[in-house]
């Protein structure tokens, strides 16, 4: 069930100048709706000149504390405002939006969750849900540099973490698509990150017949299927990423 609600920032974790993690609770004390890993929110940035809400993945959910977490990278005016907020500030949020990742995987499957940059955000809650279901998720997290690798302790509390950086400052040197964690049998890949990275991962998955889901970050305005600005051409025709995605099995995408 979708909700529009004011949320209060109960914890603000500022990782560096570019990234913050916001922990938020409904300001009126109401209970969070059921949230699937891979779903996202539309946040009102509340700043002059930013009229549209901004789509942000749900990074984590804590039903005991009744909180959600958002991991935000400064990109433009809206996200610059969001990363600079402080505890006690309020944000108006529409949630939960879109469809999540598939969780129905056979027991004993090797599951690799591949994230690039701030695309790691939805993989934390996904990994948590997979672990709760009895699986052993492995994370392969890539970034330009060590300072762009976030929440490593949180990921490590859930499963094995493999890391690569383009400048070699942490983990294996190079792109995630060259990481040794991709060797050996893999049953399912879940992926979120920049489009070229996801396309390269999809191509590896297709070549090796690995089941693969990717979370697209097309530009969005309404987040509700009304404005059509997020359309992706798929084997089923043009579909709105905000309502039919953002998670798609690669077999549905016209990516070659
Ligand atoms: C489903 C979804 C989930 C997302 N999850 C996260 C997340 O967890 N954390 C996070 O930091 N960001 C996430 N993004 C990207 C985030 O929405 C954009 O960075 C944000 O909308 C930019 O707004 P702005 O006002 O800061 O920048 P603007 O001034 O609007 O734009 C600044 C730059 O960001 C680019 N941009 C604008 N909108 C998007 C977009 N939708 N996707 C990618 N680039 C965009 C523009 O092309 C421009 O180069 C997600 C996007 C989608 C669609
Ligand atoms: S963002 Fe408006 S239709 Fe998807």
């Amino acid at each position: 069930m979708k909700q529009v609600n004011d949320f209060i920032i109960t914890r603000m974790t500022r990782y560096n100048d570019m990234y913050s993690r916001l922990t938020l609770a409904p300001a009126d004390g109401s209970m969070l709706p059921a949230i699937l890993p891979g779903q996202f929110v539309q946040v009102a940035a509340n700043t002059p000149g930013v009229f549209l809400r901004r789509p942000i993945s749900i990074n984590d959910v804590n039903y005991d504390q009744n909180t959600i977490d958002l991991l935000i990278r400064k990109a433009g005016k809206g996200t610059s405002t969001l990363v600079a907020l402080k505890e006690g500030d309020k944000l108006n949020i529409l949630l939960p939006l879109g469809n999540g990742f598939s969780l129905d995987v056979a027991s004993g499957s090797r599951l690799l969750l591949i994230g690039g940059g701030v695309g790691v955000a939805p993989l934390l809650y996904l990994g948590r849900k997979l672990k709760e279901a009895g699986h052993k998720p492995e994370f392969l997290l890539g970034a330009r540099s060590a300072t762009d690798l976030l929440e490593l302790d949180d990921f490590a509390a859930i499963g094995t973490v493999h890391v690569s950086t383009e400048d070699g400052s942490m983990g294996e040197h190079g792109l995630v698509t060259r990481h040794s964690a991709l060797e050996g049998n893999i049953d399912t890949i879940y992926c979120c990150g920049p489009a070229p990275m996801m396309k390269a991962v999809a191509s590896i998955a297709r070549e090796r017949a690995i089941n693969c889901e990717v979370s697209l970050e097309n530009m969005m305005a309404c987040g509700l299927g009304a404005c059509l600005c997020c359309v992706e051409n798929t084997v089923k025709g043009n579909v709105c990423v905000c309502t039919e995605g953002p998670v798609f099995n690669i077999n549905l995408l016209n990516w070659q």
Side-chain angles (χ1 to χ4, degrees), residues 1-4 33-44 53-58 68 70 92-101 122 125 215-216 220-226 230 240-247:
M1 178 87 154
K2 291 182 189 38
Q3 294 183 356
V4 188
I35 295 170
L36 301 170
Q39 289 189 303
F40 66 100
V41 303
Q42 281 274 64
V43 187
R53 290 171 183 265
R54 297 300 192 243
I56 301 290
S57 303
I58 294 168
I68 58 166
L70 306 179
N92 190 265
I93 294 182
L94 168 61
L95 84 166
L97 298 173
N99 294 314
F101 292 100
Y125 184 44
S215 181
L216 303 191
M220 291 185 185
C222 69
L224 294 166
C230 62
C240 290
V241 171
C242 64
T243 50
E244 304 297 316
V247 177

Side-chain angles (χ1 to χ4, degrees), residues 38-200:
Q39 289 189 303
F40 66 100
V41 303
Q42 281 274 64
V43 187
N46 270 349
T47 195
V50 179
F51 302 107
L52 297 168
R53 290 171 183 265
R54 297 300 192 243
I56 301 290
S57 303
I58 294 168
N59 176 224
D60 208 357
V61 182
N62 184 328
Y63 285 107
D64 293 336
Q65 303 285 324
N66 203 37
T67 56
I68 58 166
D69 285 53
L70 306 179
L71 176 66
I72 302 183
R73 176 182 184 276
K74 199 195 277 190
K77 208 167 177 182
T79 47
S80 298
T81 304
L82 296 173
V83 297
L85 292 171
K86 53 187 190 317
E87 282 170 16
D89 284 345
K90 275 190 190 166
L91 280 177
N92 190 265
I93 294 182
L94 168 61
L95 84 166
L97 298 173
N99 294 314
F101 292 100
S102 308
L103 299 172
D104 55 341
V105 282
S107 72
S109 298
R110 182 169 178 226
L111 310 176
L112 193 60
L113 283 59
I114 308 181
V118 79
V120 303
L123 303 185
L124 184 65
Y125 184 44
L126 172 63
R128 191 180 297 293
K129 296 306 272 185
L130 289 168
K131 188 180 178 195
E132 279 172 19
H135 302 291
K136 290 187 177 163
E138 277 176 57
F139 301 98
L140 171 53
L141 310 176
R144 287 208 182 113
S145 182
T147 50
D148 302 302
L149 280 166
L150 305 161
E151 304 184 329
L152 291 181
D153 291 346
D154 300 276
F155 284 109
I158 294 172
T160 307
V161 178
H162 312 278
V163 163
S164 70
T165 48
E166 288 173 41
D167 66 1
S169 50
M170 193 186 280
E172 290 188 18
H173 189 175
L175 300 172
V176 277
T177 44
R178 308 293 293 272
H179 197 284
S180 55
L182 283 162
E183 289 163 13
N185 178 62
I186 302 168
D187 297 293
T188 294
I189 291 177
Y190 302 97
C191 183
C192 185
M197 184 206 98
M198 290 198 287
K199 287 185 178 172

